[in-house]
Amino acid sequence: MISLHHNIWLLIICCAFSFGVEIEQLPSPRSLCGEGPHWDQATQSLYYIDIEGPEATILRYDYGENKTYAATVENVPLMTFVLPIENSTDEFLVGGQYAAKVIRWDGKSAKGEFVRDAFEVDKIDTNRFNDAKCDAAGRFYGGTMRYRECNGPFTDVANASFYTFDRDHGLKQSKQNVFISNGLTWVGDKFYYIDSCTHDIKEYDYNSVNGELSNERIIFTLRENGKVPEYIFDGMTSDVDGNLFIATYDGYKVMKINPKSGELLAEYKLPAGQITSVAFGGPNLDILFVTSASKGSPPAEAGHLFKITGLETKGKAGNKIKL
Ligand SMILES: *[C@@H]1O[C@H](CO)[C@@H](O)[C@H](O)[C@H]1NC(C)=O
Ligand SMILES: *[C@@H]1O[C@H](CO)[C@@H](O)[C@H](O)[C@H]1NC(C)=O
Ligand SMILES: *[C@@H]1O[C@H](CO)[C@@H](O)[C@H](O)[C@H]1NC(C)=O
């Protein structure tokens, strides 16, 4: 691990070379809590969710049209993640409070419909589902969180969990004592994971044959001399070079970290503070899409979708779930 002072110097050095980086706000409704971006190659769309509207909405930014479509889903007031389902063009798995639900949406109309509950996690009424993704084999990895923020009255309560699901073996609780299960991404035979309230990034060995995770270790921490910054780590993705891109909630930035060395390679400033998640996409997979939230009294840009271009790297499209 490397100290933050050291990181600041690295940042000055590397940002001197980031001339071509551009940040643009995309035409999108203002989300209260935009989350869970997933790039779909087939439709050249970015799917994401507004978790916390009066009713949650599922959104689709159509890259070709440069336009975002949004829908609410009847009888599904809460949606926390969205994963397209393999071999379907209009069915998605979304996170409810305890149940992962199959919904149907054509990507354009203002209403989607509930199809069925797929699987259900432990019912703890202070908790709900949060971020989730699939590995290349279509297995589900996702977790729960309590409704309070890290600095709320339940700071010391970590009774959320992290789960995996695959259609042959069903649901498995992979990790307990989680505060807010958040960003997750794979790089080769490694898996990276964020529990926002531990203020660090954990690495696991990932077995692509059976999907199992082992050997948890911390590869980066925001903690310095017992203190943590005002922001927390939120959603995360990785590029083809194996570097991590991490959204910072209340941090006005996306951080790029090399997980092998623990170095902070770059920071990309955004006009909104509550940066919630990131995903690569676009025809060449070289655009970083960024979701944000607009709670409290934030700047006008907050809650919209952004794209960062000129990063001189690429990522991978999202994986669909095999249900
Ligand atoms: C997308 O729409 C926005 C807002 O209308 C506009 O500023 C931007 O140039 C458009 N981008 C493309 C690639 O058409
Ligand atoms: C989880 O934590 C909350 C907050 O303290 C508590 O109300 C709830 O009973 C806990 N549930 C379990 C199953 O531990
Ligand atoms: C999707 O379709 C392919 C080709 O028909 C099949 O091999 C695969 O098992 C299907 N996947 C699921 C999850 O049904």
Side-chain angles (χ1 to χ4, degrees):
M1 251 167 281
I2 189 160
S3 84
L4 282 177
H5 292 302
H6 189 176
N7 287 339
I8 286 163
W9 289 111
L10 285 169
L11 184 68
I12 291 167
I13 295 162
C14 53
C15 287
F17 296 100
S18 319
F19 294 121
V21 175
E22 282 184 35
I23 294 172
E24 185 186 316
Q25 185 182 318
L26 296 172
S28 51
R30 188 177 210 197
S31 295
L32 194 55
C33 187
E35 260 288 3
H38 174 109
W39 176 256
D40 181 53
Q41 271 299 74
T43 60
Q44 292 286 295
S45 303
L46 186 84
Y47 287 98
Y48 65 106
I49 291 286
D50 180 3
I51 302 182
E52 292 181 12
E55 268 185 296
T57 53
I58 177 172
L59 299 113
R60 183 179 71 88
Y61 172 71
D62 186 305
Y63 181 81
E65 294 180 39
N66 191 29
K67 175 177 175 177
T68 304
Y69 295 87
T72 53
V73 180
E74 219 154 314
N75 301 319
V76 185
L78 176 70
M79 293 187 274
T80 77
F81 60 78
V82 52
L83 298 168
I85 297 174
E86 185 174 289
N87 294 347
S88 162
T89 53
D90 63 354
E91 288 195 340
F92 303 86
L93 189 74
V94 298
Q97 184 177 6
Y98 311 124
K101 296 164 184 280
V102 177
I103 62 147
R104 190 175 294 125
W105 183 43
D106 63 9
K108 289 206 162 166
S109 18
K111 275 278 173 202
E113 58 187 271
F114 171 74
V115 178
R116 67 183 169 93
D117 282 347
F119 54 87
E120 198 171 82
V121 297
D122 300 330
K123 286 187 167 152
I124 298 178
D125 62 8
T126 50
N127 296 356
R128 64 155 169 86
F129 252 128
N130 198 36
D131 210 354
K133 280 184 190 168
C134 290
D135 69 359
R139 300 179 192 102
F140 171 96
Y141 291 72
T144 52
M145 61 168 273
R146 61 164 186 272
Y147 279 101
R148 300 297 176 128
E149 311 285 339
C150 297
N151 54 1
F154 301 145
T155 299
D156 54 348
V157 179
N159 63 13
S161 295
F162 183 68
Y163 301 86
T164 56
F165 169 88
D166 78 66
R167 63 172 181 168
D168 300 326
H169 305 100
L171 187 73
K172 185 182 146 193
Q173 188 181 40
S174 292
K175 184 175 167 59
Q176 290 176 289
N177 305 119
V178 170
F179 294 95
I180 295 184
S181 187
N182 234 321
L184 59 159
T185 191
W186 292 259
V187 175
D189 61 359
K190 300 287 186 253
F191 175 73
Y192 296 94
Y193 178 68
I194 288 168
D195 174 350
S196 293
C197 301
T198 63
H199 308 280
D200 57 28
I201 303 170
K202 294 189 175 72
E203 181 186 74
Y204 299 79
D205 293 331
Y206 160 68
N207 181 330
S208 61
V209 177
N210 60 20
E212 272 173 23
L213 305 174
S214 56
N215 295 325
E216 174 183 298
R217 56 202 172 269
I218 294 170
I219 55 106
F220 190 94
T221 183
L222 291 171
R223 216 176 273 279
E224 207 185 355
N225 302 324
K227 288 210 174 74
V228 293
E230 295 284 299
Y231 60 87
I232 53 170
F233 283 147
D234 202 328
M236 169 166 63
T237 193
S238 49
D239 68 6
V240 289
D241 301 327
N243 293 316
L244 308 176
F245 289 77
I246 304 124
T248 63
Y249 195 89
D250 283 338
Y252 287 87
K253 64 185 177 186
V254 170
M255 293 166 77
K256 178 181 181 181
I257 289 170
N258 176 338
K260 295 276 174 265
S261 64
E263 285 171 65
L264 173 61
L265 299 176
E267 292 190 326
Y268 305 103
K269 296 281 175 205
L270 286 128
Q274 298 155 2
I275 302 304
T276 53
S277 195
V278 282
F280 278 98
N284 304 314
L285 297 170
D286 58 356
I287 299 171
L288 189 70
F289 291 100
V290 182
T291 53
S292 67
S294 61
K295 299 188 207 175
S297 22
E301 293 88 345
H304 292 284
L305 182 64
F306 299 89
K307 71 171 180 187
I308 307 183
T309 52
L311 290 169
E312 297 189 336
T313 187
K314 290 178 180 201
K316 280 178 262 170
N319 297 313
K320 297 188 176 187
I321 183 161
K322 283 191 175 140
L323 262 192

